[in-house]
Amino acid sequence: MSPMLALIRYQLQLFARSYRYFAPMTLYLIFIAWIYSMIPNPVMSSYASTSVCLFLVAAWLAFNFYSAEPPAQQQLTLMHSRSGIRYHSSRMAAVWAAALPLTLVAVLYPIILGGFDRQPTAIEIAVSLYGHLLFTWMAIVLTALFCSKIGSQLISKLGGLVLALTLSLAAPGLAEWLPSTLRWLLWVVPPASPIIDTLMNFDALGEAPAIAKLVWPSLYTLALSLLTVVYLQIRRK
């Protein structure tokens, strides 16, 4: 087994033994069951709702994940990994693997249940799956940025993460409130709104324009992932 896979496996085993996954996963499954308790439901707007909820739940799951390993043990694991980049990348990958079942349930459960007002097309399923996965990864990277630094205070971790999540969801309203000379600041805010808009207005936008709206969130999340890993490596934490 490669060192990277071994690290991911170790992190998942440690997280499983902590039982810190139980509350966020259970709450999300209850939300899924509730939203599809009355049928039929519109396809893409339902997927938009479950993706936004997953964005928040994935951040909660990642926060619990980064708190599962004691600081002293984190230092030992970092030392044995022989690479800070490998260590921090494996942690983000492990959280993503832990959250993957929630994405699959969110996308496949209503199809199996027959909870929609019509059968979703293959492109709708693919776009919805990608939207959920992208939201999950964005939440994990944001949590890593604020919460994976060893030894930092809980209030600073949680405060920064909550602020980032709130700004990402409130960006459209902030764009109307901010003067035009300051709207460029929103480019640094995590772009959650294009993902929501793609899912909510998929039919009105059309397939190609809707998919195109996912390019910026994808590029942003990829760049943030790389910058976060490099930042944590430079800090040697």
Side-chain angles (χ1 to χ4, degrees):
M1 183 181 295
S2 70
M4 184 69 169
L5 290 178
L7 272 172
I8 293 173
R9 180 180 179 182
Y10 163 75
Q11 298 284 357
L12 286 173
Q13 289 175 338
L14 182 70
F15 189 45
R17 289 196 296 267
S18 73
Y19 293 102
R20 297 190 182 197
Y21 59 86
F22 183 79
M25 284 189 168
T26 301
L27 182 64
Y28 189 68
L29 293 177
I30 291 174
F31 174 77
I32 293 292
W34 172 75
I35 203 171
Y36 294 112
S37 61
M38 294 181 290
I39 55 177
N41 296 277
V43 176
M44 299 307 284
S45 59
S46 298
Y47 278 143
S49 298
T50 57
S51 68
V52 172
C53 184
L54 183 59
F55 181 49
L56 302 175
V57 168
W60 182 11
L61 188 71
F63 182 83
N64 287 356
F65 177 91
Y66 286 121
S67 304
E69 190 176 22
Q73 184 63 38
Q74 289 182 43
Q75 293 283 11
L76 287 174
T77 306
L78 177 59
M79 181 181 65
H80 286 297
S81 69
R82 302 183 179 217
S83 169
I85 291 177
R86 180 187 299 152
Y87 171 72
H88 293 295
S89 299
S90 71
R91 298 186 88 193
M92 289 192 287
V95 186
W96 187 84
L100 182 59
L102 297 180
T103 294
L104 297 178
V105 169
V107 174
L108 298 179
Y109 173 75
I111 298 175
I112 297 171
L113 178 69
F116 291 134
D117 55 6
R118 58 178 176 81
Q119 186 68 20
T121 64
I123 189 66
E124 287 175 331
I125 296 173
V127 170
S128 299
L129 178 62
Y130 184 75
H132 283 76
L133 292 173
L134 183 57
F135 254 144
T136 300
W137 187 248
M138 186 185 294
I140 290 169
V141 174
L142 286 172
T143 310
L145 179 63
F146 289 102
C147 301
S148 66
K149 205 169 68 167
I150 300 172
S152 56
Q153 295 296 316
L154 176 64
I155 188 65
S156 63
K157 292 179 178 180
L158 194 57
L161 177 59
V162 170
L163 179 61
L165 295 173
T166 302
L167 288 175
S168 66
L169 295 174
L174 291 175
E176 297 178 2
W177 177 75
L178 285 174
S180 57
T181 54
L182 295 178
R183 287 178 187 171
W184 62 269
L185 292 172
L186 294 177
W187 284 98
V188 302
V189 174
S193 57
I195 308 175
I196 300 171
D197 189 36
T198 295
L199 298 178
M200 285 291 295
N201 302 306
F202 185 82
D203 293 331
L205 292 170
E207 292 182 2
I211 294 172
K213 289 180 72 70
L214 295 176
V215 173
W216 168 237
S218 301
L219 293 176
Y220 179 99
T221 306
L222 176 61
L224 186 63
S225 303
L226 298 175
L227 290 173
T228 297
V229 171
V230 171
Y231 165 75
L232 294 172
Q233 169 69 2
I234 293 173
R235 294 295 299 265
R236 297 182 183 275
K237 296 295 183 179

